[in-house]
Amino acid sequence: MGGLLLTMADDHAEPHIGDILIAADGRIQAIDHQGPFPDDVEIIDATGCLVLPGFIDAHRHCWMPALRGVNADHSLQEYVRSTRNGVMPHYRPEDVYIGNLVGLWEALDAGVTTVVDFAHCLNSPDHVAAAMQANSEAPVRTLFAVGLNDVPGHEGGFTSLQQRLDTFVELLEREGRPEHVTLWMSLSDTTQAGTGQLLREVRAVRDIGVPMTLHANLKKLRTPISEVGVLAAENLLGPDMLWAHMTQATPEELKAVHDAGGQVVSVPEDEMQMGMGTPALLRWEAAGGAPSLGISVVSAASGDLFGAMRLALQASRMLENETVMAQTGAWPSSIRITSRDVVTWATRNGAIATGQSARIGTLEPGKQADIVILKPGLFASPLNNPWSSIAVHSARHNVDTVLVGGHVVKRGGVLLTDLAHLTHELGLSHQHVFGQVASHGGSMRDVQLPT
């Protein structure tokens, strides 16, 4: 490749000029390959480019592109009323399919090669099958977290938790699932389903034996609900749990999650906008964890990890600077959190959060060749600080080439798919969903939310 390599691996001096040799099985065969390449290999010229591991989005609701911008000015309460309660009931399987497909290609376009798809718009077995089809077709590494939550206001579909679990087991046991799709489960929101349902779901998922992810400790309530405390009391915390948000979690709760082997992912764009509280990045780090990043909802957030990295970097610096000034009465003399740190959060730490660090997250021999090539161009150059060029000065338009498992999915800044078809189908889905929303009195359903 011949680019400026940023492997994120501990045993490599970074950055440096080098080549990557990818084996036929899609794994990295060598870093800094010496000597001639085999005659039959494709050469990707990355001269003048930055070569780094694919970004890892540890929390995204992939079905939502037709809602892009709907929640851009909404609080969390408004989001729940409009989208979770007002729009989700009208999603058909075909709407979930095209939403997921577009959402996954959107991630790839911005250099995200692995996504935790927290799938919470699954109204029926047909919706599950449609989401699975999209995850199978999109050439991105997905951790498909099939939702156990009920969809408010939806008629028909699943009739019980057991039916949802049975549908998942059938999917898990089905032959022919593509290698790039790993099945997880996602849990119901405790503030809507109750603590009893949380306990039932965790026990049920443990019986099946797959990882799980959940929204937790994200709302400032007059009567707090601690998912961590509920599960700790029943000895149900564990290393198979990825906790999203945790903005209202105490240091003790975060330490309990860490000590049990769990992981935490922050989504700073949504958390800072919607009134969830301060992103838990630094508090999770203080508890011993490795901060990681996600997007959550493209109905409000940017849809790429460049924006999340920038917010995470500067918000974390602001919090630390405020602490220093409060303690010393003087302005800070240095900054602890670096641009390299936040790139690590979006790559290597994402692999840690998702239990995938043996396969992805760094560029090392034996790992999957999930690779992003950034072309800095005029406005992210010169490369005085390559880490800053990525985290501060780049955006999705700088993503020139993306490989997943050694297969090129974006080349020369262009996704290798039929974008016109995706645009047409997403437009049809948008028309149907919002036609149904309008005919049912609009999206802001008047529902009772916990306070």
Side-chain angles (χ1 to χ4, degrees):
M1 284 185 174
L4 193 64
L5 299 182
L6 301 101
T7 67
M8 311 308 298
D10 289 330
D11 57 349
H12 286 276
E14 299 173 314
H16 65 284
I17 302 293
D19 295 314
I20 300 174
L21 181 62
I22 301 172
D25 65 357
R27 297 179 185 273
I28 296 172
Q29 182 171 323
I31 299 288
D32 292 338
H33 174 72
Q34 302 297 317
F37 288 102
D39 293 336
D40 59 346
V41 302
E42 176 188 2
I43 303 295
I44 299 176
D45 185 4
T47 303
C49 295
L50 296 167
V51 181
L52 63 152
F55 297 125
I56 299 170
D57 181 342
H59 185 76
R60 183 184 294 237
H61 304 293
C62 292
W63 60 273
M64 300 183 72
L67 310 182
R68 192 174 287 112
V70 165
N71 304 119
D73 301 312
H74 280 178
S75 67
L76 182 60
Q77 287 201 28
E78 290 171 314
Y79 162 74
V80 171
R81 284 195 168 96
S82 68
T83 300
R84 294 289 297 271
N85 296 291
V87 175
M88 282 174 67
H90 303 295
Y91 260 68
R92 304 164 299 175
E94 52 263 50
D95 300 313
V96 169
Y97 166 78
I98 190 61
N100 263 67
L101 194 58
V102 171
L104 292 168
W105 277 108
E106 178 182 18
L108 283 168
D109 187 52
V112 174
T113 55
T114 296
V115 178
V116 174
D117 178 14
F118 193 118
H120 63 353
C121 187
L122 302 179
N123 302 338
S124 72
D126 289 340
H127 288 75
V128 176
M132 180 66 193
Q133 182 65 29
N135 278 273
S136 299
E137 292 179 10
V140 59
R141 208 173 298 283
T142 56
L143 308 175
F144 179 31
V146 178
L148 292 176
N149 61 289
D150 287 330
V151 176
H154 180 73
E155 296 180 359
F158 289 112
T159 59
S160 66
L161 172 62
Q162 189 59 51
Q163 188 185 16
R164 287 183 178 273
L165 294 167
D166 291 344
T167 299
F168 179 84
V169 171
E170 291 173 8
L171 191 66
L172 188 66
E173 295 177 346
R174 187 180 305 166
E175 295 182 1
R177 185 171 73 253
E179 183 273 338
H180 67 269
V181 179
T182 302
L183 293 179
W184 284 26
M185 301 200 83
S186 60
L187 308 183
S188 301
D189 288 359
T190 306
T191 51
Q192 291 166 307
T195 57
Q197 182 74 356
L198 173 66
L199 293 170
R200 284 189 290 273
E201 290 182 3
V202 170
R203 290 187 173 109
V205 177
R206 286 266 162 77
D207 287 343
I208 294 172
V210 298
M212 68 190 90
T213 184
L214 71 161
H215 299 132
N217 290 66
L218 73 157
K219 299 170 183 173
K220 183 72 171 178
L221 302 173
R222 294 186 179 92
T223 304
I225 296 175
S226 172
E227 290 88 351
V228 177
V230 169
L231 296 180
E234 297 293 326
N235 198 30
L236 288 174
L237 297 177
D240 54 354
M241 305 185 78
L242 174 59
W243 300 71
H245 303 304
M246 299 291 277
T247 47
Q248 298 297 324
T250 65
E252 293 75 20
E253 289 168 328
L254 291 167
K255 188 68 164 57
V257 169
H258 176 267
D259 290 350
Q263 299 292 335
V264 171
V265 55
S266 294
V267 292
E269 288 188 89
D270 284 353
E271 291 161 0
M272 294 171 71
Q273 171 192 320
M274 292 188 177
M276 298 184 203
T278 304
L281 293 155
L282 298 186
R283 285 172 285 139
W284 176 236
E285 182 186 59
S292 63
L293 299 173
I295 291 300
S296 192
V297 297
V298 298
S299 58
S302 62
D304 67 69
L305 284 179
F306 293 103
M309 280 192 286
R310 273 190 285 278
L311 273 180
L313 178 65
Q314 307 300 17
S316 297
R317 286 170 166 177
M318 178 191 70
L319 290 170
E320 287 210 333
N321 291 341
E322 290 289 339
T323 299
V324 169
M325 288 187 285
Q327 291 175 345
T328 67
W331 53 329
S333 60
S334 63
I335 294 176
R336 181 181 70 88
I337 303 169
T338 67
S339 299
R340 189 190 194 282
D341 289 332
V342 78
V343 176
T344 301
W345 297 354
T347 54
R348 183 170 61 181
N349 286 11
I352 294 170
T354 57
Q356 304 286 305
S357 56
R359 306 174 65 209
I360 58 175
T362 59
L363 300 182
E364 298 179 83
K367 289 195 174 183
Q368 294 287 335
D370 295 358
I371 300 172
V372 173
I373 301 176
L374 298 182
K375 183 172 286 187
L378 175 61
F379 303 117
S381 298
L383 300 178
N384 298 310
N385 180 348
W387 309 107
S388 176
S389 293
I390 297 167
V392 178
H393 303 296
S394 290
R396 68 168 64 239
H397 67 266
N398 296 104
V399 178
D400 180 81
T401 304
V402 180
L403 296 89
V404 180
H407 297 286
V408 178
V409 299
K410 184 177 183 180
R411 187 193 302 272
V414 179
L415 289 172
L416 303 185
T417 190
D418 188 344
L419 293 174
H421 172 72
L422 293 178
T423 300
H424 175 74
E425 293 300 314
L426 186 67
L428 293 178
S429 173
H430 175 270
Q431 290 175 13
H432 168 81
V433 169
F434 281 89
Q436 289 296 305
V437 169
S439 69
H440 285 77
S443 63
M444 280 293 186
R445 292 186 61 229
D446 187 17
V447 294
Q448 185 65 40
L449 299 177
T451 59

